[in-house]
Amino acid sequence: MSAADAFTYEALPMRVVFGAGSSERVAQELDALGLGRVLVLCTPEQTEVAGVISDALGGRSVGVHPGATMHVPVESADAAVEIARERGADACLAVGGGSTTGLGKAVALRHHLPMVAVPTTYAGSEMTPIWGLTQGGTKTTGRDRAVLPRAVVYDPLLTLGLPVGLSVTSGLNAVAHAVEGLWAPDASPITSLMAAEGVRALVAALPGVVAAPHDVDARSQALRGAWLCGAVLGATTMSLHHKLCHVLGGTWDLPHAAVHAVVLPHVLAHNAPAAPAAVAALAPALGLAPGAGGAAPDVAGALWDLASSLGAPTSLAEVGLPADAVDEVVSRVLAAPYANPRPVEAGPLADLLRAALAGNRPVTSAP
Ligand code: NAD
């Protein structure tokens, strides 16, 4: 956006508690919110960490419910609320990544139980009013402030065990929120500041996370970046990149964060000529000098190089997209219009997908 552009910015009512060890403060947060007894939600894989938090809550916890799964089936929300009611809980505490936060949101949406979130990945769902629910094989998403967590407790110590591969792809998933926030039709100076700083923090932190996954400083910086990128996702309208990833993930059941990691450099190369302000904001965050003599700084290539150096998948074939899927992706993406700085046309979109399928390194063009 240019300095002359008008904008509207609506702050979301978010209470954020951040810091190593801060998950020990969950009880204080519940007290401050007047929430008496919580059901602790998690995935089956995170029962242990959720159990530690539940035990520390003593009588304020009615127990751990390890019922979170990808894509939030309606039945999982209904089951969680039934258990919460049986045990006399008046809120949920979601301990985990986007799938667990998603379950907490679904319970809040369908049954009006408030939620506190303790995120353990970089997905950023805890910062957004976006919910998703799957019924009869169809995933529906929407926005509703009722699903926003009442408080979010970020404890980098809970991310030390996030596997390196998932840390990288989840971090790049967060970067994708910020990149699309920079060219969003409802971007504002404040969301753009958050986006640039979120990308800078994650780009700086992820090599440290890969080199030393238990480095608390690197983990803190990554989680702080993820918070900012999630806040951008919550405040702006996403474009081609998120639409593409939604179609790819939803239709072929591909891993969420890995798909984001592969697709983002290609969408960045596609949109860059129509989004010079976003390119200019991303260049320093990626350690690039401004382009000289009308050339664009190669933000797409730099992001691809970063992902590749961190060991992230770089091709859609690698994450499971069949070679003959391109035409179907194109028709699904073109079926419903949505925001994007560059018009989305079948030919360039198919080229983008073929390059991403093959794992080619994209290059940024000037406007
Ligand atoms: P996830 O929540 O599915 O977690 C992936 C795996 O990692 C799970 O097995 C989980 O148990 C494990 N895990 C999580 N944190 C861990 C930790 N610290 N240590 C060890 N293991 C850990 O993955 P995700 O990428 O966080 O979330 C993806 C889902 O979130 C998708 O369904 C996506 O649509 C949704 N999402 C929603 C929004 C939104 O605003 N609504 C935003 C981003 C993502």
Side-chain angles (χ1 to χ4, degrees):
M1 64 190 295
S2 81
D5 285 336
F7 65 89
T8 301
Y9 172 66
E10 201 177 337
L12 291 172
M14 279 303 194
R15 176 171 169 83
V16 171
V17 178
F18 192 101
S22 59
S23 57
E24 290 168 13
R25 287 185 43 192
V26 169
Q28 285 164 255
E29 290 304 310
L30 297 177
D31 282 348
L33 292 163
L35 299 174
R37 287 158 61 80
V38 292
L39 179 66
V40 181
L41 305 176
C42 64
T43 58
E45 298 84 6
Q46 290 190 281
T47 309
E48 201 178 318
V49 64
V52 170
I53 293 176
S54 173
D55 289 348
L57 290 174
R60 285 192 190 84
S61 170
V62 302
V64 174
H65 173 57
T69 54
M70 281 281 276
H71 307 311
V72 197
V74 165
E75 300 76 24
S76 71
D78 293 345
V81 84
E82 206 173 309
I83 293 170
R85 292 220 167 114
E86 268 170 25
R87 299 186 191 173
D90 56 9
C92 290
L93 178 71
V95 178
S99 296
T100 304
T101 308
L103 176 59
K105 287 176 162 181
V107 171
L109 183 75
R110 289 172 67 80
H111 303 283
H112 313 293
L113 276 190
M115 178 202 10
V116 169
V118 182
T120 64
T121 69
Y122 307 131
S125 174
E126 67 283 352
M127 280 294 126
T128 84
I130 305 163
W131 54 266
L133 266 175
T134 302
Q135 189 156 28
T138 304
K139 186 166 179 176
T140 311
T141 59
R143 282 182 181 252
D144 191 324
R145 280 192 173 208
V147 307
L148 278 173
R150 296 287 180 87
V152 180
V153 179
Y154 285 109
D155 185 347
L157 298 185
L158 300 183
T159 65
L160 301 184
L162 186 63
V164 168
L166 186 53
S167 299
V168 169
T169 54
S170 187
L172 293 169
N173 180 196
V175 168
H177 307 331
V179 169
E180 292 234 288
L182 284 167
W183 58 50
D186 43 6
S188 70
I190 192 126
T191 56
S192 295
L193 275 175
M194 289 194 290
E197 173 56 16
V199 175
R200 192 204 61 73
L202 277 157
V203 167
L206 289 177
V209 167
V210 171
H214 284 78
D215 181 326
V216 178
D217 288 341
R219 287 292 190 176
S220 293
Q221 191 177 30
L223 195 58
R224 195 168 51 76
W227 160 52
L228 292 169
C229 294
V232 174
L233 173 67
T236 58
T237 303
M238 296 290 106
S239 301
L240 174 63
H241 172 79
H242 280 72
K243 174 74 180 181
L244 253 177
C245 292
H246 184 81
V247 167
L248 288 165
T251 314
W252 285 273
D253 200 21
L254 308 181
H256 174 82
V259 169
H260 275 267
V262 174
V263 171
L264 183 62
H266 295 277
V267 175
L268 187 49
H270 176 274
N271 281 354
V279 172
L282 287 169
L286 287 161
L288 297 174
D298 188 10
V299 287
L303 194 58
W304 191 94
D305 291 342
L306 175 74
S308 161
S309 72
L310 295 174
T314 50
S315 87
L316 285 175
E318 209 178 327
V319 297
L321 186 72
D324 60 0
V326 169
D327 289 348
E328 191 178 343
V329 182
V330 170
S331 70
R332 283 178 183 259
V333 169
L334 293 179
Y338 47 88
N340 198 56
R342 175 178 165 187
V344 182
E345 292 158 353
L349 182 56
D351 290 345
L352 182 167
L353 281 161
R354 276 191 282 271
L357 193 62
N360 298 341
R361 181 185 185 278
V363 178
T364 313
S365 314

